[in-house]
Amino acid sequence: MTVQELPGAAVYRPTPPPAWKPLTDPAPLLPDPEPFRVLGTDAAAGADPELLLRLYAELVRGRRYNAQATALTKQGRLAVYPSSTGQEACEIAAALVLEDRDWLFPSYRDTLAAVARGLDPVEALTLLRGDRHTGYDPREHRIAPLCTPLATQLPHAVGLAHAARLKGDDVVALAMVGDGGTSEGDFHEALNFAAVWRAPVVFLVQNNGFAISVPLAKQTAAPSLAHKAVGYGMPGRLVDGNDAAAMHQVLSEAVARARRGEGPTLVEAVTYRMDAHTNADDATRYRGDSEVETWRAHDPIKLLERELTGRGLLDEDGMSTVREGAERMAEGLREQMNADPVLDPMDLFAHVYEQQTGQLREQADRLRVELDAEHGPNDENDENGVGDGR
Amino acid sequence: MSTAAATAGERTGRAKPATMAQALGRALRDSMAEDPTVHVLGEDVGTLGGVFRVTDGLAKEFGDERCTDTPLAEAGILGAAVGMAMYGLRPVVEMQFDAFAYPAFEQLVSHVAKMRNRTGGAMPMPITVRVPYGGGIGGVEHHSDSSEAYYMATPGLHVVMPATVDDAYGLLRESIASDDPVVFLEPKRLYWSKADWSPDAPASVEPIGRAVVRRPGRSATLITYGPSLPVCLEAAEAATAEGWDLEVVDLRSLVPFDDETVAASVRRTGRAVVVHESSGFGGPGGEIAARVTERCFHHLEAPVLRVAGFDIPYPPPMQERHHLPGVDRVLDAVARLQWEAES
Ligand SMILES: Cc1ncc(C[n+]2csc(CCOP(=O)(O)OP(=O)(O)O)c2C)c(N)n1
């Protein structure tokens, strides 16, 4: 039976579809195929010397922080540390492009960005040390808790930026995620929400080549991660993640664009993770030394050093001053981390609900009895038999 | 927890029949009118007013920035709500149907439930997640799940379910006013149940976390909540013919759980049956029976029994009546409370 033979077919007159046109012209959204660079190009001459020197000092401090934190894991002072060595330019730029009123949404690897934004180096490590989940007040620093489940912080950034705009506040949220995290559903949902709501958000993907052991080629078939932006109707930018000046420029532009009310941007920083995934990982199982060596030549600190010394902005003296500053920071960190944290087990029940439920009160009482039995109720220093941990 | 509805004043206006869905909508409206930080978001909540029309009229009255049709993405909706709450808003999220809340589970469990705790109390999550839940409306697959056991197993969430029109209004007002996240389970098959109710002067309600005795009795306690409350009330009426005088306790919330009201009732009656339509194995009934036993062992004349849905995926609509515990199954359990210990 053909359509014409169907009963009622004679009266069926489908209206022709209207001419189709895309909602947005994709051309201006597409990333350039080559990562954007400043250092070592003609554009570098225009870069602000003071900014470059500031970036340099922060980069060196950041690397020292990564090394110190990794050393603390070997001494058993830190449970785990995901180093961002090699990625310092991304971390530092992300922190420096934000105003005080803006918000940073870091992933678990972005301790450095949080510290560069002003967070106390020890507070930034509480999650990884294992004494508390979040050792700081997110509202005070405008830094969301370091986020362990991949990409789940991205919709939070969108919601916060959206709420700020509804309130008429001039606030931008910058959210960080790894290349592996871009495969998660939350990444997609966050980008889509942000674009539809024109939320003032900057998404920064640090493509460091691997998700633990899995290389980018097994993560995506897209030409680049920045290309993903086009499908949502936002611009994608590809940038050399080891070029601190380029990172700063691209992120600043994205932040400015968001602040102007023009909506979100997806920035893909092409970088490399020089260390293993964490101190507990063995990177030799999935990558060869020669690959690491190739990237060593493209080290973010070396790139900037070359620029600064070439322009006569930095000499051996300047470098050692910066290194000394970093060393003092590391010493302070070491010292503070060598003190045992004082914890109050009663804190376990303190912040589950605004008001403790009867159930939790009973359980807290039970733990109290156990603790008293362990320490003796009349401990000299503390009548509860435990430190107060605050 | 504040008692927003209780302070709204005693009922004085003229009561007219209202449905549970209307009372819920009214609670949203009143909360939004009172507090400019309350935002409603979800799929089809704006122009359409929600597939059950609970949000009808909100977008018109408050604009689409207060009542927002979002993209179709549950994790995105709840994840965005987390960020909104971080910035001081009070989001009320609608999940279109129980089983469609599962994509948002990660956000609910890892962030909504834990944010207060992981930030040492610095960052509460005043989010209400409204979930039309449960069966009995002839819905096809994925439209009739009872998901309360998943939620109640997640510390940090309140799990609340109204069974009356008054509670639909009052508990939703309380949930929205709460600084802790609330999973608010709306029994779908009670959406169109009616009561005499005056939206102009809402009744005062008990706050979240208190159970209430809906029907006093002396010979056994039926412990229930949400969609099974009317079943239990009907069973209690029917049981009088057999000489049973049943007390019916409506839990109203599973978290917090009101041990006191429940235990006091069972101590009076000496016998108890827990009734709910979600599966029995690993379901709320097991937890409730254990709590009752721990508290009332010496008062019990018989084991605490459970009447629950079968341990099967929710059945197709033409079969659901076999799954849902009805009056007969409740009465059957009550008869089994004539416990003779095996010697
Ligand atoms: C939802 C989720 N799945 C799995 C993990 C375990 N995990 C931790 S880090 C990681 C790899 C992440 O790779 P990427 O996003 O590229 O970030 P990078 O580690 O390179 O910074 C995985 C799989 C997790 N944290 N969250």
Side-chain angles (χ1 to χ4, degrees):
Chain A
M1 197 156 49
T2 70
V3 172
Q4 277 71 29
E5 289 162 353
L6 283 169
V11 293
Y12 175 61
R13 294 266 183 286
T15 38
W20 183 85
K21 65 177 181 20
L23 290 170
T24 312
D25 177 6
L29 305 180
L30 273 166
D32 284 336
E34 268 295 303
F36 177 72
R37 293 199 170 88
V38 171
L39 300 178
T41 74
D42 294 343
D48 171 18
E50 243 177 73
L51 173 68
L52 294 184
L53 284 167
R54 166 109 201 265
L55 286 169
Y56 179 74
E58 291 285 351
L59 250 50
V60 172
R61 267 164 62 88
R63 175 146 311 173
R64 187 67 190 85
Y65 186 95
N66 276 327
Q68 184 57 62
T70 303
L72 286 166
T73 62
K74 298 196 176 111
Q75 295 151 21
R77 280 293 172 186
L78 198 53
V80 66
Y81 187 73
S83 160
S84 58
T85 290
Q87 303 176 219
E88 293 93 342
C90 308
E91 298 279 318
I92 300 304
L96 295 197
V97 295
L98 296 179
E99 303 286 340
D100 276 354
R101 62 187 179 283
D102 296 332
W103 274 74
L104 180 74
F105 285 78
S107 85
Y108 64 93
R109 193 179 296 287
D110 305 316
T111 323
L112 218 56
V115 172
R117 184 163 168 75
L119 195 61
D120 177 87
V122 174
E123 285 186 353
L125 288 175
T126 53
L127 170 83
L128 299 162
R129 174 153 70 167
D131 52 345
R132 291 179 177 222
H133 292 314
T134 307
Y136 53 92
D137 179 345
R139 284 209 175 98
E140 186 188 333
H141 299 278
R142 270 133 351 249
I143 302 172
L146 295 170
C147 191
T148 311
L150 298 171
T152 55
Q153 75 278 24
L154 306 181
H156 305 172
V158 177
L160 180 132
H162 176 65
R165 208 187 45 161
L166 291 181
K167 281 198 177 178
D169 295 346
D170 184 19
V171 165
V172 174
L174 188 151
M176 306 172 77
V177 67
D179 44 302
T182 65
S183 299
E184 290 280 358
D186 275 19
F187 172 82
H188 158 68
E189 297 191 20
L191 264 69
N192 191 48
F193 267 66
V196 171
W197 283 356
R198 275 176 97 87
V201 184
V202 178
F203 298 100
L204 169 58
V205 179
Q206 294 180 72
N207 170 9
N208 64 8
F210 292 90
I212 308 187
S213 66
V214 181
L216 186 68
K218 288 190 185 176
Q219 207 65 248
T220 181
S224 78
L225 297 173
H227 274 81
K228 296 197 175 208
V230 185
Y232 300 104
M234 74 173 80
R237 302 290 309 271
L238 198 58
V239 54
D240 183 339
N242 288 21
D243 179 335
M247 280 304 300
H248 192 276
Q249 185 176 327
V250 168
L251 288 179
S252 297
E253 283 166 11
V255 167
R257 188 173 171 271
R259 227 187 280 289
R260 287 196 303 270
E262 292 168 27
T265 305
L266 174 65
V267 177
E268 175 187 355
V270 184
T271 182
Y272 197 76
R273 189 190 76 213
M274 298 304 291
D275 290 340
H277 170 62
T278 67
N279 53 297
D281 170 45
D282 174 10
T284 62
R285 292 180 73 107
Y286 54 85
R287 68 189 190 190
D289 287 347
S290 67
E291 180 180 299
V292 183
E293 284 317 308
T294 323
W295 277 92
R296 215 176 285 287
H298 197 62
D299 183 292
I301 296 182
K302 277 192 202 143
L303 290 185
L304 193 49
E305 228 166 55
R306 208 174 296 148
E307 180 71 35
L308 287 166
T309 49
R311 278 167 68 179
L313 295 167
L314 187 73
D315 55 14
E316 209 27 75
D317 275 357
M319 281 188 237
S320 59
T321 309
V322 167
R323 277 197 295 266
E324 277 160 27
E327 204 50 50
R328 276 196 301 279
M329 179 275 307
E331 258 168 47
L333 180 60
R334 216 160 43 226
E335 234 165 72
Q336 283 177 278
M337 291 292 288
N338 274 328
D340 287 324
V342 189
L343 305 176
D344 182 355
M346 284 305 149
D347 269 356
L348 293 175
F349 300 98
H351 304 294
V352 184
Y353 297 99
E354 186 191 15
Q355 280 169 29
Q356 230 168 50
T357 58
Q359 227 164 296
L360 286 183
R361 259 195 310 277
E362 275 176 26
Q363 292 167 20
D365 289 346
R366 206 177 314 147
L367 179 61
R368 161 76 61 216
V369 169
E370 284 175 22
L371 291 169
D372 284 348
E374 211 176 286
H375 299 267
N378 296 318
D379 195 299
E380 265 179 57
N381 305 320
D382 183 336
E383 59 172 18
N384 296 328
V386 289
D388 96 340
R390 266 166 250 268
Chain B
M1 190 169 293
S2 75
T3 54
T7 54
E10 297 297 314
R11 179 189 307 218
T12 53
R14 226 156 53 114
K16 285 191 303 238
T19 64
M20 181 181 274
Q22 286 167 333
L24 291 165
R26 182 67 190 213
L28 289 169
R29 191 212 155 265
D30 289 355
S31 296
M32 291 174 87
E34 248 171 50
D35 179 352
T37 67
V38 175
H39 283 241
V40 168
L41 60 160
E43 295 155 10
D44 304 292
V45 295
T47 310
L48 184 66
V51 293
F52 293 103
R53 303 293 181 271
V54 170
T55 58
D56 198 17
L58 297 179
K60 216 173 196 173
E61 184 170 354
F62 298 102
D64 58 8
E65 287 190 337
R66 294 280 307 280
C67 178
T68 308
D69 278 330
T70 63
L72 213 167
E74 290 76 13
I77 296 168
L78 194 52
V82 169
M84 291 165 75
M86 287 171 103
Y87 207 77
L89 298 185
R90 223 167 248 284
V92 184
V93 161
E94 177 173 304
M95 295 287 159
Q96 203 155 65
F97 280 90
D98 32 46
F100 307 141
Y102 301 147
F105 220 73
E106 155 72 353
Q107 286 291 343
L108 188 74
V109 170
S110 294
H111 297 295
V112 174
K114 287 183 182 158
M115 191 68 86
R116 172 189 288 280
N117 184 258
R118 59 206 276 254
T119 61
M123 198 159 257
M125 285 281 110
I127 297 176
T128 304
V129 185
R130 293 181 39 241
V131 187
Y133 102 120
I137 64 159
V140 294
E141 258 206 311
H142 309 299
H143 288 75
S144 302
D145 283 23
S146 296
S147 33
E148 61 266 39
Y150 305 134
Y151 302 124
M152 70 187 271
T154 303
L157 301 176
H158 289 308
V159 184
V160 170
M161 54 284 287
T164 68
V165 175
D166 270 338
D167 265 357
Y169 180 87
L171 287 175
L172 185 52
R173 293 295 308 272
E174 293 281 334
S175 301
I176 295 170
S178 165
D179 276 344
D180 281 324
V182 179
V183 177
F184 192 86
L185 300 171
E186 301 174 0
K188 275 186 232 91
R189 71 178 136 124
L190 300 185
Y191 268 145
W192 302 280
S193 66
K194 283 189 183 171
D196 286 345
W197 190 75
S198 163
D200 299 325
S204 64
V205 289
E206 293 287 325
I208 292 173
R210 269 192 226 146
V212 298
V213 175
R214 295 285 178 205
R215 182 191 194 280
R218 305 156 54 99
S219 39
T221 302
L222 301 179
I223 304 166
T224 191
Y225 55 86
S228 295
L229 176 67
V231 176
C232 287
L233 289 172
E234 200 185 326
E237 283 312 311
T240 55
E242 306 288 326
W244 285 94
D245 178 22
L246 298 178
E247 180 149 309
V248 179
V249 173
D250 174 7
L251 293 173
R252 302 166 76 252
S253 92
L254 285 169
V255 185
F257 188 85
D258 185 352
D259 285 303
E260 271 154 51
T261 302
V262 172
S265 170
V266 177
R267 286 189 191 128
R268 275 194 301 275
T269 63
R271 295 177 169 86
V273 182
V274 189
V275 183
H276 59 63
E277 72 176 51
S278 67
S279 297
F281 188 82
E287 174 64 31
I288 297 167
R291 302 182 80 78
V292 168
T293 308
E294 284 168 357
R295 283 164 182 75
C296 311
F297 185 65
H298 292 294
H299 300 262
L300 286 172
E301 308 282 344
V304 181
L305 300 181
R306 285 173 291 168
V307 177
F310 296 132
D311 301 326
I312 55 173
Y314 196 86
M318 292 171 81
Q319 302 261 46
E320 67 180 339
R321 69 196 164 85
H322 302 303
H323 170 73
L324 295 172
V327 171
D328 288 346
R329 265 184 219 157
V330 177
L331 291 175
D332 191 53
V334 169
R336 279 188 287 136
L337 288 174
Q338 294 287 23
W339 175 257
E340 301 267 342
E342 290 163 40
S343 52

